[in-house]
Each structure stands twice: as C-alpha cells, then as structure tokens.
Amino acid sequence: MFRLFDRLWTIDALTLALASAAMVGLLSACSGGDSAPLAVETSGGAVASASPISSTMPAYSAAGGELPGAMLVHWRPTSTTFGPVSYSDALALPLDAATGIEMDGRSPITLGNVPQTSVSPDGRFLAVTSRGTDEVKLYDLRAWQLVATMKAVPGLVVESWSSDGSQLFAWRDYCPQPASEGRCLAAWERELRQMDVVQASARRIADFDFSIVKIHVGPSSEGVSERAYALGIRTNICCGIDPQGDPFVAVVDLAKGEVIKEIQLRDMLIGQPRHWLGDTSMYASYWPATAMSQDGSKLYVADSVDFRVTVVDLNELRIERTVDLKEPRSRLARIGGWLWSQFVSTAEAKGGPSYRRIAELTPDSRYLLISGSVTLEEIKDNERSLKDRPAGLVVIDTEKMSVVFREGTTSVFDLSPDGRWLLAYGSYWDESRADDKGFGGLVAFGLKLIDLQSFEVVRHFWPNEEARVAAISSDSKYAYITTDGPGMAEWRRAGINCTADCTLLNVLEMSSGELVSQLPLGEMEGIISLAPDQ
C-alpha cells in the first residue's frame, strides 16, 4: 500500500495535518511541476496532443545484487527551513534498495509545493500534484521520465487507479468563489476525470451534485473499467460540514458518465453534522472507511466510531447486510469520550474530535482489516492544541463476519501483496511532553509483524520508536521500513532540517522475521514507492 506524503512528514508538519484531518479527501492541493506537457487537455476535455508510452523501458538493477531490480523512490526538500515550509521544493530521487545509494544517471524530479502523490498498483507510474498549479504530472519510474501532463483544473484529488494500473482517476470538490465558514458564493464544481496512462489521454467523465469522500474503480476488462463506486455526501459547505441526508454509495457508469444508482447508507455518521451540536464553535467529524473486493462484487463500509460494517452487493446494487460485530464499545468511541473530557468549556474554546477509519481487504477478500485514529482539536486564545490516539486494529472474517484478531496500539497498517503478512504500527502526539521547539511529544509503539495465517504477532520491532513502512516487494518477501536515524533528534532540537544520519532504511525479510540490513539515508524526508522488479 502506498500513501501520500503526509504520512512521512516531520512531526511539526504531521501535527498540522492532523489538525485538518476532517478536510482530507474533500479538499486537495492542485498539481504541478516543471516540465513541458506531453498531453494537454483543452477546455472542452479533449486531448490536444499525446505521446503514448513505449513498451520498451530501460532496465535497472540493484548494485548490491541482493534485491535485483528493487528501486526505492525517495524525496527530500531543497529548503533548509524547518517546518511545513520546507516542503515547498520537494525533490524525488531514485535509491538503490540494496545499497541505500542514489542511482546515477537520473536527474531529480521536482515535485513542487507541498506535493501529493499516488502510485499505480504495479508501482510503475507516479502521479504528482502540487499546490498552486493546475496539472497532474505522470512519471514512469522505470524510465525515470515524465510521460504525460494532464492540464486540469484546480482542486483535483488523485488517488484512484484501475486494477491494472492503466487508468488514473481524479475527482474534485472545488469552490471558485470561497466565502467565510466554508461556504461558496458560486456553484460548487464537483466532477470525476480519467487519465489513460498508456495513451497519455484525458477526459472529463461526469459532473456531480455531491461530494466524493472515497472512490473505488471496478475491475478492468481489456484495460477498460466499466464502473466506479463513490462514497458520497450532499452539502453546500466545504469539508463535509453540515451534510444533508444519509451518505450513499453512488454507482457511476464510466462510459456514459452517469450515476445509475445511489445506495443509501442509513443512519451512518459522516462529515461534520451541525444539527445536533447547536454551538458552531464545537464540532465532531466522522470519516468511515471503504474497501472493495478485487472482483468488484462487494464493498465494505466501516463505521467511523463503532465496529459496525455495512456490506454492499455491487452486482445486485443493494445493501446485503449491516453487521454489528458485538465488540465492546468501540475503542474510538471510548477514546473520543476521554478526549471530550479533556476539553475546556465552550465559552473558552472551540474545536472537537475527528474520528477516522482506514480499511483494506486481503487479496482473496477473506479478511477485512480495520484501524484508524481519533483526534481532538482545541482552539483557545488563537492557539491550537491536539490530542490524538490510535484506534487499534481488528481483523474480520468476512465469511462469518466475526473478529478473529485485535490489537490496541495500531493506527496504520500495510498488507503484503499475497495477503500473508500484516505490518501494523501506531503513534500519537502528546503536546504536554513536547519542549518549546516541539520535540519529544511523540508517543510511538513501534511495528508489529503479524502472520494472517496463524493470527500471531511474529515480531515486535522498535517498541518505543516510530516506524513507517515505505514499501513491500511485489513477491511479499521484503518490507522496507524507515526509522529515525541518530541525527534526527539533534537537528529537530536545533530547529532546522536534518542533513546527516537522518533516516535509517531497514529491510525486513518477512518469512523469517529478521532484519537483513539497515542503511543510513542521510538527508531525506521519506519514501514514495518501491518500483516493480524487472
């Protein structure tokens, strides 16, 4: 599983990301870069010029020889200013996964201002958007070159691919005339766009009268996906505020550009409902998670607070069942109650909790994995403070719809391609522990290697440190995990970016549960993806 840059930010940037957690998925930076476009979309949606991708790509191999063809694409900022501004000029460079050395002969890719990325399922293509421009740039990581630029529109969220990686989908929820309190003085522009990464062409598929929270693209047949399934809400305010009616699953015919059905999700909390809070200085936001089976037959929707799962039959286009897993009161709900108890009176402060789930199915759709976190934002005297906790992890047998494994410290997980291994990790931010430079407030639980055949924790690495899964090899043999190097704490205390001994790249052989190598990466902020084996 590949994620956006926000998971790899430094603690200060991560804190800001958590503060705006309710906006993730509904607001997005626009995209950009520095190379001439190869595919330009006209105002009518047609492609003015295109350069199809060659089927013959230059070969590469790991210098160390241990992991042939494994290439990690990592990124770092060019600015030396500590904090979120340091991401204004991010660069991507190729890294030999066996040696930790940057590869020769490949110039840095400029990712732009606060970039967001999405990697194709096979790891071959990297889509990049950045704040302040209206383009989606597509890079072929094997050839290490720009292959297409989609001249787009402001506010695109690029995150969904067809199963074969040939189609990239982007949606947006954009206000051309924003006003106060998230309102819009003009009509919202809400649409879905498609980019053919092989032919380097792009088109607008459909316009919507609702906001997309998450979208899944159905299975591909001969490179063509017939349907997409969007978790949607209706609201005239940004960020999911004050949603009207129940959320729903919108079934989109991609060829016709039409919503052919809306499947209602009755009584499911989503967005930031206002009607029962009364005081607009207080809010609570709810973001359920969705996971679709690889054959496109089922969509699972995990409630954001309780362990309740709705199963949608995508063949019959109906709710198959909603299952209360009869777990003890959800960890998220209990944590949320604790966080609320830490909140000062409404006369003194504003803010509230944000409940967020993540979910994924194993490749055979036998097990549904659910985790997440809850964050409380409190604003008092124009100062923001955050309290957050991991929600833990549950593994659900989808045939029996019962919990077969649970763990309490997880907020993020990564699943191996073969579905055998689960890497679970979590952390939270405690400002009361931090010094005046923001150092020391991270509470982390390391990384657990879980065998999904035996449902046992095979190993627990770095119990009191933060670990982040960068990538997992396509054969499910190796996991690439980053941890802070010895130079990180020193440079954070100094208030500038780390330039030496910042990050360690740890290579884990999952079948043996052993770390087979550890490589210092120097000046570096994170890893985007693992390019596929040759």
Side-chain angles (χ1 to χ4, degrees):
M1 179 186 297
F2 303 110
R3 305 183 189 280
L4 302 183
F5 275 19
D6 52 4
R7 202 190 84 200
L8 303 173
W9 290 354
T10 56
I11 296 303
D12 286 291
L14 178 59
T15 301
L16 293 182
L18 289 172
S20 58
M23 299 184 183
V24 175
L26 293 178
L27 291 179
S28 170
C30 302
S31 59
D34 59 352
S35 301
L38 298 179
V40 180
E41 187 178 12
T42 65
S43 59
V47 175
S49 62
S51 176
I53 297 167
S54 170
S55 60
T56 303
M57 296 296 165
Y60 58 82
S61 61
E66 291 291 330
L67 304 169
M71 179 180 74
L72 289 164
V73 182
H74 76 96
W75 71 284
R76 68 187 184 202
T78 58
S79 170
T80 58
T81 305
F82 186 68
V85 72
S86 66
Y87 302 93
S88 60
D89 297 301
L91 299 175
L93 302 97
L95 181 78
D96 189 312
T99 64
I101 299 174
E102 290 180 8
M103 294 182 175
D104 295 329
R106 290 175 172 86
S107 300
I109 296 173
T110 301
L111 299 178
N113 182 23
V114 192
Q116 291 186 328
T117 68
S118 183
V119 180
S120 62
D122 60 4
R124 177 175 176 179
F125 297 107
L126 171 69
V128 181
T129 65
S130 63
R131 184 175 299 170
T133 61
D134 301 334
E135 296 174 332
V136 178
K137 292 202 168 186
L138 185 72
Y139 294 91
D140 187 315
L141 297 181
R142 288 184 178 175
W144 198 254
Q145 66 181 19
L146 177 71
V147 293
T149 297
M150 180 171 66
K151 186 66 177 179
V153 287
L156 281 179
V157 177
V158 179
E159 67 171 4
S160 300
W161 297 78
S162 60
S163 57
D164 62 0
S166 66
Q167 306 291 321
L168 172 64
F169 294 84
W171 53 269
R172 71 176 186 144
D173 194 354
Y174 179 72
C175 173
Q177 292 182 259
S180 60
E181 298 183 352
R183 302 186 182 276
C184 189
L185 299 178
W188 285 92
E189 297 177 6
R190 290 161 171 161
E191 64 182 7
L192 179 65
R193 295 192 174 217
Q194 179 186 31
M195 186 175 187
D196 187 314
V197 301
V198 177
Q199 297 299 321
S201 61
R203 68 185 182 100
R204 183 171 60 251
I205 295 177
D207 297 303
F208 301 123
D209 63 351
F210 58 86
S211 296
I212 294 176
V213 178
K214 178 70 178 179
I215 191 165
H216 298 270
V217 180
S220 304
S221 176
E222 298 181 355
V224 178
S225 296
E226 297 180 354
R227 288 180 177 178
Y229 307 93
L231 176 61
I233 55 175
R234 285 189 168 85
T235 175
N236 290 320
I237 309 177
C238 87
C239 321
I241 298 172
D242 197 21
Q244 304 300 304
D246 290 316
F248 51 87
V249 176
V251 183
V252 183
D253 185 315
L254 295 176
K256 296 179 179 179
E258 298 176 354
V259 176
I260 59 178
K261 187 169 184 178
E262 292 182 5
I263 305 170
Q264 300 297 313
L265 300 170
R266 304 293 182 190
D267 302 320
M268 179 173 288
L269 287 170
I270 196 169
Q272 298 181 29
R274 278 184 169 177
H275 61 279
W276 56 272
L277 289 175
D279 186 346
T280 57
S281 68
M282 302 281 289
Y283 72 84
S285 61
Y286 304 90
W287 302 106
T290 57
M292 186 179 72
S293 60
Q294 285 198 0
D295 64 1
S297 65
K298 298 288 178 62
L299 183 73
Y300 296 82
V301 185
D303 186 273
S304 61
V305 179
D306 289 314
F307 284 113
R308 185 168 55 248
V309 177
T310 298
V311 185
V312 183
D313 187 324
L314 298 180
N315 293 325
E316 299 293 332
L317 301 184
R318 63 179 179 84
I319 300 294
E320 179 180 294
R321 55 179 168 167
T322 296
V323 179
D324 185 341
L325 297 171
K326 301 186 183 301
E327 285 287 289
R329 179 63 173 166
S330 168
R331 180 178 174 83
L332 274 179
R334 289 185 281 109
I335 292 171
W338 174 81
L339 289 173
W340 272 108
S341 71
Q342 307 297 305
F343 204 64
V344 299
S345 70
T346 58
E348 298 175 339
K350 60 182 179 179
S354 176
Y355 300 89
R356 181 168 298 276
R357 289 287 196 197
I358 59 173
E360 186 174 357
L361 284 162
T362 53
D364 60 2
S365 300
R366 177 63 188 273
Y367 298 107
L368 175 65
L369 319 172
I370 301 175
S371 186
S373 61
V374 58
T375 301
L376 177 70
E377 177 187 29
E378 180 184 53
I379 303 175
K380 181 180 178 182
D381 299 329
N382 294 321
E383 293 187 5
R384 176 186 284 115
S385 64
L386 296 169
K387 299 182 177 69
D388 66 294
R389 292 293 188 274
L393 166 74
V394 294
V395 179
I396 300 165
D397 185 327
T398 58
E399 292 184 359
K400 301 177 181 178
M401 289 306 292
S402 61
V403 175
V404 295
F405 180 85
R406 62 178 61 83
E407 193 279 329
T409 62
T410 298
S411 57
V412 183
F413 60 78
D414 287 85
L415 179 66
S416 64
D418 64 1
R420 169 74 183 275
W421 305 104
L422 183 65
L423 297 169
Y425 46 109
S427 62
Y428 67 87
W429 183 252
D430 187 342
E431 291 191 352
S432 65
R433 300 186 180 204
D435 60 21
D436 57 359
K437 292 184 178 180
F439 178 78
L442 182 71
V443 179
F445 302 102
L447 179 141
K448 295 180 176 69
L449 174 62
I450 301 168
D451 187 336
L452 289 182
Q453 288 186 354
S454 63
F455 299 108
E456 295 180 349
V457 177
V458 177
R459 293 288 302 275
H460 185 187
F461 301 95
W462 311 285
N464 300 310
E465 300 178 37
E466 186 177 31
R468 301 166 293 274
V469 176
I472 299 176
S473 62
S474 58
D475 61 4
S476 300
K477 187 174 183 179
Y478 297 105
Y480 298 85
I481 303 156
T482 58
T483 54
D484 285 350
M488 187 64 75
E490 177 183 352
W491 286 102
R492 280 179 179 162
R493 286 188 180 279
I496 59 176
N497 272 335
C498 181
T499 58
D501 297 324
C502 308
T503 305
L504 300 175
L505 176 63
N506 306 275
V507 182
L508 169 64
E509 185 179 59
M510 289 189 286
S511 61
S512 66
E514 298 296 331
L515 293 172
V516 295
S517 69
Q518 186 179 73
L519 311 167
L521 295 178
E523 182 186 6
M524 155 163 191
E525 294 296 332
I527 292 177
I528 302 171
S529 71
L530 176 67
D533 297 338
Q534 291 290 320

